[in-house]
Amino acid sequence: MTQKNVVGYLPDDKPSLGKSILFALQQFLVMLPATVLAALIMNGRGIEIYSIPAAVFASGVATICFLLVTRGKIPLYYGSSFSYIPAVAIITTKFTGVGADAVFGAIMVASIISGFMSIGAGLLIKYFGQDKIDKILPGHITGMIAMIIGLSLAGNTMTGILQVSVSGDVNWLSVLIALITFITITVLTVVLKKGFISQLPILLGIGVGVFFSYLIYVPLTIGGNYFEAIGSYFSNIPAGQISLFEHMPWNTLAPAFKQPEIIVTAILAIFPIAFATIPESAAHVNQVDLYVNNLAEQMGVEKRYNIKDELDTNLIGDGIGDIIAVLCGGPAGTNYGENVSASAVTKNFSSYVFYIAGAIAIVVGILLDLIGNINISELLTQPVIQGVSLYLFGAIAVQGIALMIEKKINVFDPKVVAVMAFIAIVGLGVDSIKVTDTFLLPGIGVAAFGGILLNLLLIWLEKLFKTKNQ
């Protein structure tokens, strides 16, 4: 097969160091909003338990560990998961009168157990075969899950863009900056087709958005003299209350074990999330497999990258990532669909780049703590972050559709229609379902596992009645 005129990097490719740093910086900035936002949201539910520098630092350490476990075969970035927000909220709101160290220690124990459950799921697949998983997680389930993961964040994104005041007024400056960021990224992905610069649309879009934020949004929002407004904005960026290494095991586990009821509550709330993230991980692995092999074909590379066969290794890596992340003081998480989107857009799936992205996160986490635990998402400004989210979260949803197209899903099959309908409506229709005062089920988890069980039931019924009718 002849080499085609397509610029891209496959998992085993190694760009030059200079290019790799720029690619890695782009991937770092892509994951940053969600990783920081997840920690910020969980901090706003009763007790501040996460250090933002620690969340960034932990994501870098966990990413490198994930890549080592998967031997660089799965080019993904590990970051804080939104799936854990409802579960963590149960604990932080129920135990507001308890010290943050004890609460975080309980969450740490529960997250470690959740991580071991992901590892166990990976080992089951490894020793009993992935064909069994393909029956449990067919394309119409993994594709729909990927789609609702992207769409479920639509409300948060639009709320962040519109910034509607108490009186109902829309912040049009925020809308303008978000649209500038979004349109810049969109235009660059369409116009730039060749060369190194064609692989940096998201980074360039963020740069343009930040430029206009400080040119228009910040000074007009604050008012007065331009330079005084910029200075006032920087001086009012809030710092976190928890330092980088404050919520380490040696500071948090002992207080938690003195109050075992907190640990029990945390385990009941958090351990089901491990099951909820399995279909999400399967969707991401299938997406990466699809995009990497399409890129290889476009580049004229004959090698087949069997990434979808690495689901067991991916789950083991995810579980280890959970354990490492919480031991480093950050939230538990998963591999990021946003980075899959960025890789697909930029045609860059080099695992080497993701190693560097993890190293950048570690360095940035340390620097953020040294310079006063400043909130880096506020440095980029919220309209820019929401403009990037508008593009990436939508791209995640579209990737779910692409996955179902690639799998040639028969949408006229009544079984498929029923399962897809259930996942879509439940996954998008409810954030969480209260079971008891200490146990809350995330909507995406209910949709995913309800869809799996419904699919298996319908397959069994179809076989049963087919046998009776013969």
Side-chain angles (χ1 to χ4, degrees), residues 48-82:
E48 182 173 336
I49 57 172
Y50 291 114
S51 157
I52 300 304
V56 176
F57 175 88
S59 76
V61 177
T63 294
I64 291 174
C65 290
F66 173 85
L67 291 168
L68 290 173
V69 170
T70 60
R71 305 182 302 283
K73 292 183 178 180
I74 309 175
L76 290 170
Y77 193 95
Y78 179 99
S80 310
S81 174
F82 282 80

Side-chain angles (χ1 to χ4, degrees), residues 289-371:
D289 181 276
L290 171 63
Y291 285 111
V292 165
N293 285 295
N294 281 346
L295 177 60
E297 184 178 348
Q298 292 170 13
M299 294 174 63
V301 176
E302 296 184 0
K303 178 179 178 179
R304 174 74 187 179
Y305 291 84
N306 296 316
I307 297 173
K308 65 181 180 181
D309 296 333
E310 298 288 336
L311 177 58
D312 55 341
T313 310
N314 177 70
L315 290 172
I316 293 170
D318 243 6
I320 291 174
D322 285 344
I323 295 169
I324 295 297
V326 296
L327 289 176
C328 289
T334 186
N335 43 56
Y336 263 14
E338 293 94 320
N339 292 94
V340 176
S341 298
S343 295
V345 169
T346 61
K347 296 182 174 60
N348 190 330
F349 291 91
S350 169
S351 293
Y352 176 68
V353 167
F354 282 96
Y355 274 113
I356 297 177
I360 290 174
I362 292 172
V363 172
V364 170
I366 294 172
L367 290 176
L368 285 174
D369 191 64
L370 291 176
I371 64 175

Side-chain angles (χ1 to χ4, degrees), residues 157-233:
T157 300
M158 291 308 300
T159 299
I161 291 174
L162 297 175
Q163 294 187 17
V164 179
S165 66
V166 177
S167 61
D169 295 325
V170 172
N171 185 335
W172 293 108
L173 286 175
S174 172
V175 173
L176 175 62
I177 300 303
L179 285 177
I180 288 173
T181 306
F182 171 78
I183 292 171
T184 301
I185 295 172
T186 302
V187 170
L188 292 179
T189 59
V190 173
V191 174
L192 301 179
K193 294 294 185 183
K194 297 180 181 179
F196 172 61
I197 198 170
S198 68
Q199 297 178 291
L200 300 172
I202 298 169
L203 183 61
L204 293 173
I206 291 173
V208 171
V210 169
F211 172 79
F212 280 101
S213 261
Y214 286 104
L215 182 67
I216 302 172
Y217 174 75
V218 172
L220 291 182
T221 298
I222 295 177
N225 178 275
Y226 175 81
F227 294 103
E228 289 179 357
I230 297 297
S232 174
Y233 180 80

Side-chain angles (χ1 to χ4, degrees), residues 379-441:
L379 281 177
L380 298 177
T381 74
Q382 282 302 313
V384 172
I385 289 175
Q386 300 306 331
V388 175
S389 299
L390 176 63
Y391 182 86
L392 289 175
F393 293 158
I396 294 171
V398 171
Q399 286 173 5
I401 297 171
L403 179 62
M404 289 186 282
I405 292 173
E406 190 268 341
K407 293 288 185 180
K408 296 181 173 62
I409 301 302
N410 180 12
V411 294
F412 297 101
D413 184 338
K415 299 192 308 296
V416 173
V417 172
V419 172
M420 291 174 66
F422 178 87
I423 293 174
I425 300 304
V426 175
L428 295 175
V430 62
D431 291 329
S432 60
I433 299 172
K434 180 180 178 180
V435 179
T436 69
D437 289 339
T438 58
F439 187 38
L440 204 66
L441 292 174

